[in-house]
Amino acid sequence: MPGCLAGLSPPPAALHLLLRGRGRSRMAFSAAAPSRAFQLRLNPLTGDSEWLVVDEAEGEDAGAAPPQTQRQLLAATSYLDMLNDAARNRAYRRAIEAAVTDPSSRVLDIGAGTGLLSMMSARALGAVGGECRGSVSACESYLPMGKLTRKALRANGMDNKVKLFHKRSDELQVGVELDSPADVLVSEILDSELLGEGLIPTLQQAHDSLLVKNPKTVPYRATTYGQLVESPFLWKMHDLHSNEANAADGVWLTPDGMENIVSVKLQQHAMQCDPLQGEIRLLSEPFKVFEFDFSERPESQRENKITIKTTGDGCVHAIISWWVLQLDSDGSIFYSTAPRWVRQSSITDLPQCADDMKDWCDHWKHCVWFTQGRGASVMKDQTLSLRASHNLTSISYQQLNANDEACNGSLKGDHLTLLPERIALYGDRYWRSALITAIKNALGDRSLQTCIVADDSIFLALLVSSLSPSSKVIAMFPGLRDTGATYLQAVAKANNFSIDQIQVIGKRAASLSTDDLEHKKVDLLVGEPFYCGSEGMLPWQNLRFWNARTLFGSMLSEDALIMPCKGVLKLCAMSLPDLWRSRRSLKNVEGFDHSVVNETLGACGDLPGEQQGPCLPYYVWQCGYTKKLSKVYSLMDFNFAEPIHSCFGKTKIEFADAGTCHGFAVWIDWVLDEKNSIVLSTGPDSRYWKQGVQLLSKPIEVNPAKSQLHVEASFDPSSGDITFCSSFS
């Protein structure tokens, strides 16, 4: 297995690729030899990171089980979901067969993944008699994936028909790896926004160095579209100032005059928007934003001024966008990521896609661009101007009013950008009230000398400082660090406390010393808990708060208050047919056996020994069709009055409704007070948190009178992992 590289740094050239945040990164961290790659792994309980090394030779035997570390790396990606997207696979197969018609074709596949497109190309080449005259070359730079590519090629007898390189495409050279420039390019380097996986620079370099002039390409063209919408839910995800003004509780994360000091990042945010269809008002028809021709070298940046006629009165809170692929040059094969309401409409200006495009998938979502503030008020039949621009990796919008005046403002150095869900949470009246009540009750008539905010909660840092003006407040801010300190300084006066009262450490918990506390004991330890950068992780990885409480143990006073005082692991049996379909084990994918990749990619069903796939984080409300089949059960308690320790829990789920059980959703409820009267749930009824989803080894038809699901779970404090075991009776 890959080991921890103590003191070993990756090559400097690899640092900019570190954490791109994409589910299917096409690039790995190449070491001195091409057979080795670096992978960064985060310890969720400490915030520490370590470099792992992945060797090409390791586990190369086709019959060997993949190493545990490799399974963990790849199961959390969207490769499996992508390979279960039948409409995508079928469209690519048809387009490749239409493009590879010359027996002497030289095909290049960039970002090979499991090698599916490469194998399609080799099969198409053989069908026209090109096995001895043409060639198929592929590059997959993410070494853990590249190792799986070789297994899939061997399993299908394609290892001698596809030449695979564990390199980035910009590391390939004609005359070295490639015998001659390719005349057919196949690729799938697309994210939800289209450009975020490096489509433009990849195409530029390929056209400059790897392709003939006027090559055939699959896809042939991509077009991005947008639509103006009104949505109170999307408004709450970006307009914190208006929502905390409605809360009227005296805590100002965005004081008057600093309305945008905390906001979402000005970018498109990937999100499944179909569940919002019933609460969205469409204020325009879909409009074309940009068109990208893969057969030509793309420009690095462009601008486009779009004229839009509104279709109703309302307030534009967001632009929802998507893209449509034209995969063949004849314009007969399309794939669309459009929302359901667009696919079901009769708009004649949009390309017509196959009927099976309605299947839910998670590897490509819709994108949301939030308008600023309360949104833009419009009237029906009003003409608006919108300026869109793109750079190498993203598309952005600049809102314009009818008089063509820019509405965008500039951001200052004390500005904080947070994810939309956190903005919505910070503006949520119930959530704010619960924390305010819990802190007030905890303080009571006590005079506290030292308080620690153990996480990255700006809300708690402001709240404790304003409610306990005589206390010294230590804000750990392990993720926000100096940015958090600058922010607090900017808003201190508006929240009625002196900045001298609060000290930002900007360190992880293990780095705090008694010197930082001036050798005083801690009377109050609080956290939401929330750690910047952990939003996409499993819910229990916020038990980092418990680990911090343990590290602070000798610094706590005898009667120190800890909030939350405990966490409760909750679960609910669910019917999740769409999510199951996207995570099910692979067999025949367009004529190619993919069963060899199932275990490594964390597939569900048809695995040896009733194996379950991994528990993965999802916004359950975005997982297509969902249905609760049971009430909510408690599985395990984490008592923060005690040092962190291993835990075990079990429960018996009785079903309240009939249906197909695909698994269970798991989350943590944070109990703020010892009376258990104030509880903040992170379950699926709230749309601001991800839940863990554990899919079963196979779906089970359940009946309330007969079926029971037994679930056991254990928590490992050394890794922060919770493992589940389930069985039916």
Side-chain angles (χ1 to χ4, degrees):
M1 291 181 64
C4 175
L5 306 180
L8 180 60
S9 298
L15 290 176
H16 72 286
L17 302 175
L18 192 53
L19 288 174
R20 301 178 61 215
R22 304 291 175 185
R24 294 180 286 119
S25 174
R26 302 297 181 181
M27 302 182 179
F29 316 136
S30 299
S35 61
R36 174 167 292 183
F38 291 94
Q39 178 75 36
L40 191 70
R41 183 172 67 180
L42 180 71
N43 184 320
L45 288 187
T46 65
D48 295 330
S49 56
E50 60 182 2
W51 286 102
L52 303 176
V53 75
V54 182
D55 289 307
E56 180 178 359
E58 179 189 10
E60 200 51 27
D61 181 4
Q68 180 63 25
T69 300
Q70 184 173 330
R71 287 199 296 269
Q72 292 172 346
L73 295 176
L74 291 172
T77 67
S78 55
Y79 284 107
L80 185 61
D81 178 82
M82 175 183 66
L83 290 164
N84 271 311
D85 185 349
R88 166 203 175 268
N89 300 337
R90 189 176 304 113
Y92 264 95
R93 190 251 311 154
R94 291 177 56 206
I96 287 172
E97 291 173 352
V100 182
T101 55
D102 186 339
S104 61
S105 295
R106 300 175 302 279
V107 182
L108 174 61
D109 178 6
I110 295 180
T114 61
L116 176 62
L117 305 188
S118 297
M119 292 189 286
M120 288 179 176
S121 301
R123 183 174 60 188
L125 191 60
V128 295
E131 284 189 350
C132 299
R133 297 170 57 188
S135 65
V136 178
S137 300
C139 60
E140 175 54 65
S141 63
Y142 184 41
L143 189 53
M145 190 68 234
K147 293 167 65 177
L148 204 58
T149 312
R150 290 198 181 278
K151 288 186 177 183
L153 292 175
R154 280 199 300 268
N156 289 278
M158 286 283 183
D159 46 330
N160 293 323
K161 299 179 181 180
V162 176
K163 189 182 293 186
L164 177 65
F165 302 100
H166 292 314
K167 293 185 176 183
R168 300 193 309 266
S169 59
D170 61 4
E171 295 175 320
L172 301 180
Q173 297 181 57
V174 174
V176 182
E177 290 84 6
L178 305 182
D179 294 333
S180 58
D183 49 29
V184 180
L185 173 66
V186 298
S187 63
E188 196 276 81
I189 41 178
L190 315 170
D191 70 344
S192 298
E193 191 180 4
L194 189 72
L195 306 182
E197 286 194 3
L199 174 66
I200 289 179
T202 299
L203 288 177
Q204 288 177 335
Q205 190 274 334
H207 279 283
D208 290 344
S209 305
L210 304 176
L211 303 176
V212 300
K213 188 175 182 180
N214 300 319
K216 295 180 179 180
T217 63
V218 178
Y220 178 76
R221 177 181 293 128
T223 306
T224 60
Y225 292 87
Q227 192 167 21
L228 306 182
V229 302
E230 177 181 87
S231 165
F233 177 71
L234 294 179
W235 166 64
K236 290 179 181 179
M237 299 185 89
H238 74 273
D239 186 8
L240 175 56
H241 181 74
S242 297
N243 281 287
E244 69 174 355
N246 292 339
D249 52 29
V251 181
W252 288 101
L253 299 175
T254 58
D256 290 340
M258 293 182 276
E259 288 83 355
N260 293 318
I261 195 169
V262 181
S263 71
V264 296
K265 191 173 182 179
L266 289 176
Q267 66 177 35
Q268 296 201 85
H269 297 267
M271 185 183 304
Q272 296 280 8
C273 292
D274 283 346
L276 301 176
Q277 182 173 356
E279 52 190 281
I280 279 180
R281 290 188 64 232
L282 305 178
L283 296 178
S284 77
E285 298 291 348
F287 49 85
K288 186 182 295 186
V289 182
F290 284 112
E291 200 169 83
F292 299 89
D293 191 333
F294 288 46
S295 64
E296 299 177 356
R297 188 185 192 278
E299 298 179 50
S300 297
Q301 54 189 26
R302 285 183 293 168
E303 281 197 0
N304 184 23
K305 188 173 181 180
I306 306 165
T307 300
I308 304 167
K309 188 174 183 179
T310 57
T311 56
D313 299 344
C315 187
V316 180
H317 293 132
I319 302 169
I320 293 178
S321 64
W322 63 92
W323 45 258
V324 175
L325 285 185
Q326 177 186 327
L327 287 103
D328 66 327
S329 58
D330 291 339
S332 61
I333 306 171
F334 291 93
Y335 180 98
S336 173
T337 65
R340 184 191 301 118
W341 64 80
V342 174
R343 300 196 308 269
Q344 294 175 343
S345 70
S346 57
I347 302 172
T348 57
D349 293 339
L350 296 178
Q352 295 300 307
C353 302
D355 292 338
D356 56 2
M357 296 301 294
K358 64 180 180 297
D359 285 350
W360 181 89
C361 65
D362 198 49
H363 60 101
W364 288 320
K365 302 178 177 67
H366 314 116
C367 280
V368 177
W369 177 278
F370 297 103
T371 58
Q372 291 193 28
R374 292 183 175 273
S377 297
V378 297
M379 299 177 62
K380 185 178 180 180
D381 295 330
Q382 184 177 354
T383 299
L384 301 177
S385 293
L386 179 70
R387 186 159 64 246
S389 62
H390 77 75
N391 55 24
L392 289 174
T393 58
S394 64
I395 296 172
S396 59
Y397 299 96
Q398 185 177 26
Q399 273 69 50
L400 304 174
N401 64 23
N403 296 321
D404 213 36
E405 295 178 3
C407 299
N408 288 8
S410 59
L411 304 178
K412 298 181 180 179
D414 52 13
H415 178 263
L416 291 180
T417 56
L418 300 173
L419 291 184
E421 291 78 13
R422 181 127 302 261
I423 293 292
L425 184 66
Y426 278 162
D428 185 82
R429 182 180 300 182
Y430 170 78
W431 183 87
R432 292 167 67 103
S433 176
L435 283 175
I436 291 171
T437 301
I439 291 292
K440 285 182 176 179
N441 291 345
L443 293 175
D445 297 328
R446 296 179 54 165
S447 177
L448 306 181
Q449 283 192 325
T450 306
C451 305
I452 291 183
V453 178
D455 57 1
D456 284 307
S457 176
I458 55 174
F459 186 84
L460 285 176
L462 294 182
L463 179 61
V464 175
S465 299
S466 59
L467 291 181
S468 185
S470 63
S471 301
K472 179 69 176 180
V473 178
I474 305 292
M476 295 303 297
F477 283 8
L480 292 177
R481 301 195 176 192
D482 291 344
T483 305
T486 305
Y487 164 79
L488 290 179
Q489 188 171 11
V491 301
K493 184 176 180 181
N495 286 277
N496 302 311
F497 69 88
S498 169
I499 193 60
D500 296 333
Q501 179 190 348
I502 192 166
Q503 178 184 357
V504 174
I505 299 296
K507 299 178 182 178
R508 291 188 287 272
S511 303
L512 188 70
S513 69
T514 55
D515 290 338
D516 294 315
L517 301 177
E518 299 176 352
H519 300 278
K520 296 178 181 178
K521 292 292 186 178
V522 176
D523 303 306
L524 176 64
L525 176 65
V526 298
E528 298 181 17
F530 161 66
Y531 294 91
C532 281
S534 68
E535 296 92 338
M537 296 183 179
L538 289 161
W540 45 88
Q541 292 176 335
N542 278 323
L543 290 175
R544 180 175 174 179
F545 175 80
W546 195 10
N547 187 65
R549 173 260 175 267
T550 303
L551 293 170
F552 296 152
S554 62
M555 306 176 194
L556 300 177
S557 65
E558 290 186 2
D559 60 345
L561 297 171
I562 299 173
M563 194 193 86
C565 63
K566 70 176 180 179
V568 182
L569 190 68
K570 300 277 189 172
L571 79 162
C572 177
M574 302 283 296
S575 180
L576 301 159
D578 291 320
L579 183 59
W580 171 269
R581 190 184 304 113
S582 76
R583 299 293 308 179
R584 65 187 171 189
S585 59
L586 301 166
K587 296 178 182 177
N588 183 305
V589 181
E590 291 300 319
F592 298 102
D593 180 14
H594 271 66
S595 59
V596 70
V597 309
N598 283 329
E599 188 177 356
T600 306
L601 296 184
C604 300
D606 299 319
L607 296 180
E610 297 295 308
Q611 252 179 254
Q612 292 183 158
C615 187
L616 296 173
Y618 290 97
Y619 290 108
V620 168
W621 71 274
Q622 294 187 40
C623 287
Y625 176 83
T626 66
K627 179 183 178 182
K628 295 179 182 177
L629 297 177
S630 74
K631 69 177 186 179
V632 174
Y633 288 81
S634 297
L635 183 58
M636 191 187 303
D637 283 6
F638 310 104
N639 185 358
F640 303 148
E642 304 168 353
I644 192 169
H645 56 79
S646 58
C647 300
F648 175 82
K650 62 181 179 179
T651 192
K652 179 177 64 177
I653 295 178
E654 296 182 350
F655 291 91
D657 206 347
T660 304
C661 181
H662 297 93
F664 46 89
V666 199
W667 64 94
I668 289 184
D669 282 358
W670 304 104
V671 181
L672 302 186
D673 63 335
E674 295 179 352
K675 297 179 181 179
N676 294 336
S677 62
I678 306 177
V679 179
L680 290 175
S681 177
T682 64
D685 287 339
S686 171
R687 297 189 281 191
Y688 304 147
W689 286 279
K690 285 188 175 183
Q691 293 78 41
V693 176
Q694 178 66 68
L695 294 175
L696 303 176
S697 57
K698 60 181 179 181
I700 300 291
E701 292 296 322
V702 297
N703 184 298
K706 300 178 180 179
S707 306
Q708 292 181 337
L709 176 63
H710 299 266
V711 180
E712 296 181 354
S714 58
F715 168 67
D716 181 355
S718 64
S719 64
D721 293 332
I722 294 181
T723 54
F724 297 91
C725 181
S726 61
S727 61
F728 275 89
S729 64

